[in-house]
Amino acid sequence: MDPNTSGLVQKLAEAGQSHLLQFWKELSPKDQQDLFHELQGVDFQEINGFFKNAMETSSSTRHEKMDGRMEPVPREVLGSVTRDRGSLKDWEVKGLDCISQSKVAVLLLAGGQGTRLGVSYPKGMYDVGLPSHKTLFQIQAERILKLQQLAERKTTVKCCVPWYIMTSGRTMESTKDFFSQHNYFGLDKSNVIFFQQGMLPAMDYNGKIILESKGKLAMAPDGNGGLYRALGNQGILDDMQRRGIEFIHVYCVDNILVKVADPTFVGFCVQKGADCGAKVVEKTNPTEAVGVVCKVDGRYQVVEYSEITLATAEKRSSDGRLIFNAGNVANHFFSFSFLRDVVQKYEPQLQHHVAQKKIPYVDLQGQLIKPEKPNGIKMEKFVFDIFQFAKTFVVYEVLREDEFSPLKNADTQDGKDTPTTARHALMSLHHRWVLNAGGHFIDENGRRMPAIPRDGAAGSVTDDGNRNLKDGTDLPIKCEISPLVSYAGEGLEELVKGREFQATLMIDERGVHELVKNGV
């Protein structure tokens, strides 16, 4: 383990990273062993190449706006829950057919910790305060269980939707332990597969790897686009192939409304012969800091809000909608053959994006410094970087209030993307399900609560003729429906039609419950 005789000193010198051993003699034998193994696992020439390319790409694109090179998504590749009502049932049937044949897998991006939520554990373990106190992981697991049941009911053949969960080094053990403690939420343990995204060292602006302590490199996950390298390195593609998987739904853990393996989205993509698809929500506010799916120089990609001018962001078409309105929500479809090509052919072509960060480091005296302004970079790839390689790319537009409410920030007054907004979004959706199924809510005096049609061009009438309703109050009525009872609002009529309920209403596999406390 001598860094001299092992060739490590020479390797570091050639890469210009000799400073990583500057505190070697001060370390305990255990810390020396840990650092030695960590350094042996790093390909310094590769890391230096990543840094050089990332900085060159970053400086060449930093001041260049995309406006002149952008085109909106053409109508012929766009499917929409509001504009294609007549096709939704066909797409759903197609998707359920694929699911029933065990051809569909789900891939969850779950590497993030809940740091901005004020917790140190993985985001998927967070409880937003629903009446049931279910975590994001449990809600998503139960949606998979219900979907398997719906698909089996169509064909009477037992099927399986394997769940691949990508964690980071910091979340792997706690995530696995959490699933184990909760018995995999009723899923078969052999169909829940954990794997880990890669880590890359953080670097200062001169390309020197930063030490976060005397014997430890500052490491960071390589972005959700690190998915593709991990799929190859960790045998996940091989596992998918062995299972006969043909289609994969990829999504982020923090969206409480996510329709996991959404059969309508899957069916739409399969019927269109797509190798890659993106689910989007309509962007209505030009300054909303969300990337948009569009074409750049004839190829599909996500353009971040910061990459275009306000004038372009504000452009509207004759119907009043924003021209660049396909808001990216990290919710994607891939064919297995395309994913395999990405891993084997295209991944090395992806450039790292540069994120400037405040990275704690040890100075020359070995003192830990917590900088007040960015002092280095973390390098990341993004999951959507591979859109450009798709031969048949499609976009599927859904309603934000039905499918997108991310959990990113701790609760604050009027906060955005908080536990409160996520909880309200789910309860509001479930309230609408009850109203659409013919149920009613009453207040403490027995009067029916007002209900109003859903806003906007969502066209207030569903394809089966029902009014699409939501509550007439600012705050949602407390109402929670277990995914084990209904995946997307189906099958509720026999439970609620013609009945009146007081909040809090809970519908789960044990039945319908009103949790009324002291008449409140």
Side-chain angles (χ1 to χ4, degrees), residues 14 17 105 153 165 184 198 221 248 253 272 281 322 339 384 407:
E14 288 169 359
Q17 304 288 356
R153 202 173 294 161
I165 299 176
Y184 296 82
I248 298 101
V253 72
K272 295 287 182 189
V281 298
L322 292 173
L339 200 54
F384 53 70
L407 175 64

Side-chain angles (χ1 to χ4, degrees), residues 91-109:
W91 293 338
E92 183 188 28
V93 168
K94 181 66 180 171
L96 280 172
D97 186 48
C98 294
I99 290 165
S100 72
Q101 296 174 57
S102 299
K103 291 179 177 177
V104 178
V106 175
L107 205 162
L108 167 60
L109 307 174

